[in-house]
Amino acid sequence: MIIKDIFFDLDRTLWDFEKNSQKTLLSLIDQFNLFSLGIHDSFEFINKYKVHNARLWDLYRVNKINKSDLRTDRFLLTLKEYSIFDKKLAEDIGNMYVKESPLKKELLPFTLDVLAYLHKKYKLHIITNGFDEVQHVKLKYSNLDSFFNCIITSEKVGFKKPNKKIFEYALNCANANPEESVMIGDDLEADILGAQQAGMHVIFFNPQKKKYDIESFSEISCLSQLFDQF
């Protein structure tokens, strides 16, 4: 297998979304003095938020809600669980989350080492469903942007993973052939099955070592395993 271009997902593959999100949310709970509104357990609040955020992202990926609704409603619904019915507060928290979260710098283990190694041998690119302005800030502040040639966001392209059109757009942007390209990501449907539909090779990043019925792809549980594969 001859590989010339490697495409990475960003959140939960390179950029540690869980750690960075939690740090941001803990800060926002203090900034907006949510304890005074009856929220006494920060981690309970965060766990409730995660449930709503995940469900709303699923709706966003299939175009059932827009970006503005996602940003506000995930906090509006979480606040409602504490009988706080304040849309303005939800909007303010949502806006501040989007402003502060991408400034966080936590990366998955071995991210910088692996990218430095691969960058010498291959052209590297990003394909992400994250918001365009947010993802570029993440890459800049975590010192990742210099590793990548093409940074493809679904918002800019108009198609979200797993739609094969975003992968075809990325391949065209990178002037890459699918047979000589590999997609590495943590989302089985969005990253792996989507890239396969576009004819790309794939490597599933599965740090939790979850079991799936589908087995027609390479799999790693730590980014350091990429040293052996490339």
Side-chain angles (χ1 to χ4, degrees):
M1 181 175 67
I2 299 175
I3 294 297
K4 295 182 179 179
D5 292 83
I6 301 177
F7 295 80
F8 281 93
D9 175 46
L10 181 57
D11 294 338
R12 298 187 176 92
T13 300
L14 302 175
W15 194 78
D16 196 328
F17 180 88
E18 299 303 333
K19 285 185 179 179
N20 292 322
S21 178
Q22 179 168 293
K23 284 184 176 181
T24 305
L25 291 168
L26 288 172
S27 174
L28 294 179
I29 289 169
D30 287 337
Q31 287 183 49
F32 287 92
N33 196 21
L34 296 187
F35 289 123
S36 68
L37 301 179
I39 297 171
H40 303 299
D41 187 327
S42 297
F43 293 100
E44 179 189 71
F45 177 86
I46 291 172
N47 287 333
K48 289 179 182 294
Y49 163 83
K50 285 181 178 180
V51 172
H52 292 296
N53 185 53
R55 184 177 63 81
L56 291 172
W57 264 102
D58 286 341
L59 295 175
Y60 175 73
R61 290 189 187 100
V62 295
N63 299 313
K64 290 188 175 180
I65 61 172
N66 60 35
K67 179 171 73 171
S68 178
D69 291 337
L70 170 60
R71 286 182 170 183
T72 298
D73 289 356
R74 55 189 176 181
F75 290 102
L76 182 62
L77 292 170
T78 306
L79 291 171
K80 283 183 176 179
E81 294 213 35
Y82 295 90
S83 298
I84 303 170
F85 305 96
D86 188 336
K87 186 171 183 178
K88 179 62 165 55
L89 175 61
E91 290 175 347
D92 290 343
I93 297 174
N95 290 333
M96 190 60 69
Y97 178 88
V98 170
K99 180 179 179 181
E100 292 192 3
S101 177
L103 303 179
K104 301 296 185 288
K105 303 176 182 180
E106 293 288 341
L107 301 174
L108 273 295
F110 299 101
T111 291
L112 291 175
D113 293 333
V114 165
L115 292 179
Y117 168 75
L118 294 175
H119 188 251
K120 297 175 183 178
K121 304 169 66 176
Y122 306 94
K123 291 188 294 180
L124 307 183
H125 317 281
I126 290 286
I127 309 177
T128 171
N129 276 351
F131 304 137
D132 187 66
E133 75 277 16
V134 170
Q135 300 303 74
H136 285 280
V137 173
K138 290 177 183 177
L139 289 164
K140 176 183 177 181
Y141 275 82
S142 55
N143 296 315
L144 297 181
D145 53 347
S146 63
F147 291 110
F148 300 103
N149 291 8
C150 295
I151 299 170
I152 307 301
T153 65
S154 61
E155 186 176 19
K156 192 83 176 243
V157 176
F159 299 100
K160 303 179 185 71
K161 297 181 293 184
N163 191 319
K164 74 174 184 177
K165 290 183 179 180
I166 190 173
F167 296 98
E168 292 171 344
Y169 181 98
L171 289 165
N172 184 62
C173 173
N175 194 26
N177 295 318
E179 298 84 3
E180 298 174 335
S181 303
V182 60
M183 176 70 196
I184 301 171
D186 72 294
D187 191 305
L188 180 57
E189 180 181 2
D191 298 317
I192 304 308
L193 302 184
Q196 284 184 325
Q197 290 179 23
M200 301 169 69
H201 301 283
V202 295
I203 298 176
F204 180 38
F205 178 51
N206 185 14
Q208 304 302 322
K209 298 182 180 181
K210 296 179 181 179
K211 298 298 182 182
Y212 296 92
D213 294 334
I214 306 170
E215 297 181 355
S216 58
F217 48 78
S218 297
E219 183 176 326
I220 59 172
S221 58
C222 179
L223 292 176
S224 63
Q225 292 172 261
L226 294 174
F227 288 118
D228 296 327
Q229 300 216 17
F230 296 99

